[in-house]
Amino acid sequence: MPKHDFLSPKAIGNRIKSKGLQKLRWFCQMCQKQCRDENGFKCHTMSESHQRQLLLFAENEEKFLDHFSEEFFDTFMELLRRRYNTRRVHCNVVYNEYIQDKQHCHMNATKWETLTEFVKWLGREGYCKVDQTEKGWFIAYIDRDPETIARQERLAKKEKLELDDEERTQKYIQRQVEKAAEGKTVQDTGQEYTELQRDEGESLVSFNLGKMATAASKTEPSNSTMTASSQLKANISKDGKTPPSWSNPLKDSAPGKKKDGNSHGKGEKRKSALDEIMEEEEKKKKAKVTHTENWLTEGIVVKITTKRLGERFYKKKGVVRMVEDLFTAVVKMMDSGAKVKVDQLHVETVIPSPGRMVLVVNGPHREQQASLVALQEETCSVSIKLHTGPLAGKTVSGIPYEDVSKLAPQDT
């Protein structure tokens, strides 16, 4: 049957239909051809041109899959960065906007079978912040552009300078009061209050002249004795009975006698609840060990994990010669001597054999040299013996693989 004329109603209708999106199941990524229905797709798969493309694909499957996956990833991330930046958005919203382009790379040609699998991969690789809710998967782009990081640091510094000392103090006190109200940081003082009780026949009042009696006895011993005696007689109760126990001021003030624990001596100043809370916060800050996002350090051996630099650099090792903007490094390849500039996301640490020297690139022992003692493959960690730092000579276990890397020889 001959084709319809270009300006015929049938031809115009066919062109209008082809402009819109078609079903994904009838699209051939290798030939870049979209079929309108099942019959058209069947005819295309039986064509000679399609068979030649399949033969090319069969020769090197991984090459084509990686190419399509990389094209899909680059276009999707570029849309997410430009359209939504660091805002939290549903993954289906971004994908629906991505497929509006008729010439987009379809997901069925990539190594990810579903959008959920692709989103989980983005979270594992650190490209996006991913969280799952009842409404589905949400993603947020992580912007590691050095200019953006510098701009955010300048804004944070400016806001910090705008707050005066009084406002910062008020905010800090308010936070501590809220924590104290929750009962999490209030400590027991250890003091017990008991009821005042008096035995039968015991006097309600007793005198202890203390230092005053001692000073008086040094100057006028006879007069001080008479004064103390007269005071004791004056304390006799009205009914003529003498109290069973009297406090002798001369004996109490003797230099060899220890003072009572309840006497009014110089005691330690009791700490307020706010002071105790501040001390606890300082202890927590000292005890807490944080991992920084950047771990690239000059002089370590790393392995390149991306194919964007070419097949000759993929899975090859190099030495970090210079670190720029915390997350970018200039790496000198160990086999060819070529220098490449890579991002931190595209390299990984290298774990040598036991006995070799390593450098701790993250964690509490960062920038310390050590020797590898043993590998714990079940926990993906290593044991190292520190050679520098305050804990030199000590063996530390449980260090993750990503926190240590092989130390490059001095001559490389």
Side-chain angles (χ1 to χ4, degrees):
M1 181 177 180
K3 293 185 178 179
H4 299 281
D5 294 335
F6 182 75
L7 296 177
S8 64
K10 186 66 175 178
I12 294 174
N14 291 339
R15 288 198 296 272
I16 292 174
K17 291 179 181 178
S18 64
K19 283 184 178 180
L21 294 175
Q22 306 292 327
K23 287 188 176 182
L24 182 61
R25 59 182 294 191
W26 296 331
F27 179 81
C28 178
Q29 186 68 51
M30 286 295 299
C31 302
Q32 299 289 326
K33 180 176 178 59
Q34 175 69 62
C35 300
R36 198 175 304 163
D37 51 20
E38 186 177 0
N39 185 37
F41 185 74
K42 181 180 179 181
C43 294
H44 169 72
T45 56
M46 297 174 63
S47 63
E48 183 179 356
S49 61
H50 180 75
Q51 296 296 330
R52 287 197 301 267
Q53 293 292 333
L54 289 183
L55 291 176
L56 293 174
F57 178 80
E59 291 178 359
N60 195 345
E61 299 179 3
E62 293 184 358
K63 179 181 178 181
F64 285 96
L65 283 177
D66 292 340
H67 172 71
F68 291 137
S69 300
E70 185 175 353
E71 182 180 353
F72 177 85
F73 167 76
D74 292 340
T75 311
F76 187 91
M77 294 300 294
E78 184 69 16
L79 174 64
L80 179 63
R81 184 181 67 86
R82 293 185 178 275
R83 180 70 174 82
Y84 301 97
N85 204 355
T86 57
R87 288 182 299 169
R88 182 172 174 267
V89 63
H90 200 286
C91 62
N92 283 336
V93 175
V94 185
Y95 182 73
N96 289 334
E97 188 170 348
Y98 167 77
I99 63 177
Q100 295 300 319
D101 182 13
K102 187 177 180 180
Q103 303 300 327
H104 72 277
C105 180
H106 292 69
M107 180 171 284
N108 63 348
T110 65
K111 60 183 179 182
W112 305 289
E113 297 181 357
T114 60
L115 181 61
T116 300
E117 185 179 349
F118 174 66
V119 170
K120 291 181 180 179
W121 181 84
L122 290 178
R124 289 194 302 268
E125 295 295 326
Y127 293 105
C128 298
K129 295 180 180 178
V130 178
D131 60 317
Q132 184 181 16
T133 62
E134 296 179 355
K135 296 182 179 180
W137 289 88
F138 285 81
I139 56 177
Y141 178 73
I142 300 176
D143 193 354
R144 289 196 173 93
D145 187 11
E147 296 181 0
T148 305
I149 296 175
R151 183 170 62 254
Q152 291 177 353
E153 290 179 353
R154 289 195 298 268
L155 291 175
K157 187 176 181 180
K158 183 179 179 181
E159 293 177 358
K160 186 176 181 181
L161 292 176
E162 290 177 355
L163 295 175
D164 57 354
D165 295 338
E166 184 177 356
E167 291 180 355
R168 288 198 296 268
T169 304
Q170 292 295 334
K171 287 186 177 181
Y172 181 78
I173 293 176
Q174 183 64 26
R175 289 197 301 268
Q176 302 305 326
V177 170
E178 291 177 357
K179 290 183 179 180
E182 295 176 359
K184 293 183 178 179
T185 56
V186 177
Q187 293 184 347
D188 187 9
T189 58
Q191 297 181 356
E192 295 183 0
Y193 300 94
T194 59
E195 183 181 357
L196 179 61
Q197 296 180 357
R198 180 172 63 91
D199 297 336
E200 295 182 0
E202 186 179 355
S203 172
L204 289 176
V205 181
S206 62
F207 293 91
N208 188 355
L209 299 182
K211 294 182 179 180
M212 295 177 61
T214 306
S217 62
K218 290 180 180 178
T219 56
E220 297 179 359
S222 59
N223 294 335
S224 62
T225 306
M226 292 299 294
T227 305
S229 302
S230 60
Q231 290 180 355
L232 293 175
K233 293 178 181 180
N235 290 327
I236 299 176
S237 57
K238 294 182 180 180
D239 56 358
K241 294 182 179 180
T242 303
S245 60
W246 296 93
S247 176
N248 191 342
L250 299 180
K251 292 183 178 180
D252 293 341
S253 60
K257 185 177 179 64
K258 294 184 179 180
K259 294 183 179 181
D260 189 7
N262 296 328
S263 60
H264 298 282
K266 290 184 179 180
E268 295 182 357
K269 186 179 179 181
R270 181 183 174 186
K271 297 180 182 178
S272 62
L274 182 58
D275 293 337
E276 294 176 356
I277 294 172
M278 293 176 65
E279 288 183 1
E280 282 193 2
E281 291 297 326
E282 291 296 331
K283 290 180 181 179
K284 289 181 180 179
K285 288 181 181 179
K286 292 180 180 179
K288 187 177 180 181
V289 178
T290 57
H291 279 62
T292 57
E293 292 186 2
N294 60 302
W295 55 265
L296 285 175
T297 308
E298 296 181 2
I300 62 173
V301 180
V302 295
K303 181 186 292 185
I304 296 179
T305 60
T306 181
K307 294 183 179 179
R308 297 183 181 181
L309 302 176
E311 293 290 339
R312 67 191 188 102
F313 297 122
Y314 181 61
K315 295 294 183 180
K316 297 298 176 62
K317 298 178 183 178
V319 181
V320 177
R321 287 304 183 191
M322 184 172 58
V323 179
E324 300 177 357
D325 303 327
L326 300 180
F327 297 97
T328 307
V330 177
V331 179
K332 181 180 179 181
M333 306 308 298
M334 300 181 68
D335 54 352
S336 61
K339 292 184 178 181
V340 293
K341 190 175 183 179
V342 295
D343 189 79
Q344 178 178 281
L345 293 174
H346 299 149
V347 294
E348 65 180 9
T349 58
V350 175
I351 306 299
S353 57
R356 297 292 185 91
M357 293 297 295
V358 296
L359 183 69
V360 183
V361 298
N362 215 337
H365 309 291
R366 184 168 183 164
E367 298 181 356
Q368 303 299 333
Q369 296 184 10
S371 58
L372 187 65
V373 177
L375 298 173
Q376 289 93 30
E377 297 181 357
E378 61 277 2
T379 58
C380 296
S381 60
V382 297
S383 296
I384 59 175
K385 183 179 181 180
L386 298 174
H387 289 183
T388 59
L391 300 178
K394 183 179 180 181
T395 302
V396 183
S397 302
I399 306 296
Y401 284 166
E402 59 271 14
D403 286 358
V404 295
S405 188
K406 181 180 179 181
L407 195 62
Q410 298 294 334
D411 54 349
T412 57

